[in-house]
């Protein structure tokens, strides 16, 4: 299990990297290239991935908490049941993004931001060329 906890990987070329179960908590991935990387069950908490490229990356069963994906490129990335509490903006590319996520995400627009979840999040991603299903949170047994 690779660990890159708190590593500064600004601009790194991680194309096709095996990041299965990788611990990237606190890492800086600003402008890094993770195209085609395998990020199954990876942990990304408090990560700056602004401007990073995730084209065709498999992000499955991963935890993304407090991840800055403003300006990131998620073209053709595949998501599967990820905790996806990320920040995006109008420059974040979502064309061809598919899969399932647990929301919500924060969308920055100029000086304001708003949180999107459920059908509203699905529609927002759909308007940008992606097709993602937002899974509702599990309810505690009564």
């Amino acid at each position: 299990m690779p660990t890159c906890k708190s590593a500064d990987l600004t601009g790194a070329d991680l194309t096709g990297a095996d990041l299965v179960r990788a611990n990237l908590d606190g890492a800086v991935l600003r402008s890094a290239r993770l195209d085609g990387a395998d990020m199954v069950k990876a942990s990304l908490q408090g990560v700056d991935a602004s401007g990073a490229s995730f084209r065709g990356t498999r992000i499955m069963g991963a935890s993304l908490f407090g991840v800055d994906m403003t300006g990131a490129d998620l073209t053709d990335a595949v998501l599967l049941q990820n905790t996806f509490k990320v920040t995006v903006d109008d420059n974040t590319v979502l064309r061809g993004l598919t899969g399932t996520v647990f929301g919500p995400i924060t969308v920055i627009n100029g000086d304001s931001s708003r949180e999107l979840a459920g059908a509203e999040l699905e529609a927002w991603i759909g308007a940008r060329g992606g097709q993602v299903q937002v899974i509702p949170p599990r309810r505690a047994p009564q």
Side-chain angles (χ1 to χ4, degrees):
M1 168 182 359
T3 183
C4 296
K5 192 172 184 179
S6 301
D8 185 348
L9 300 169
T10 300
D13 186 351
L14 301 169
T15 300
D18 179 354
L19 297 171
V20 173
R21 297 186 183 275
N23 182 339
L24 294 162
D25 294 351
V28 179
L29 297 171
R30 199 174 309 121
S31 300
R33 181 173 301 277
L34 295 111
D35 298 345
D38 195 349
M39 299 181 75
V40 174
K41 297 195 182 283
S43 179
L44 290 87
Q45 296 190 29
V47 171
D48 179 357
S50 57
S53 181
F54 295 91
R55 296 172 70 94
T57 300
R58 291 179 354 126
I59 306 171
M60 301 176 165
S63 292
L64 289 84
F65 282 105
V67 178
D68 180 352
M69 291 188 138
T70 56
D73 185 349
L74 291 154
T75 300
D76 297 329
V78 178
L79 309 173
L80 181 64
Q81 296 184 355
N82 298 294
T83 302
F84 208 61
K85 295 192 178 190
V86 301
T87 302
V88 298
D89 63 7
D90 287 333
N91 295 319
T92 304
V93 180
L94 304 173
R95 196 173 38 258
L97 178 68
T98 59
T100 57
V101 296
F102 299 96
I105 67 168
T106 301
V107 178
I108 296 175
N109 188 346
D111 292 334
S112 65
S113 68
R114 62 190 173 121
E115 200 169 85
L116 298 178
E120 188 179 19
L121 175 54
E122 288 179 7
W124 188 84
I125 292 172
R128 284 152 185 79
Q131 187 173 0
V132 172
Q133 177 187 3
V134 179
I135 301 168
R138 292 192 179 105
R139 302 211 187 281
Q142 298 283 336

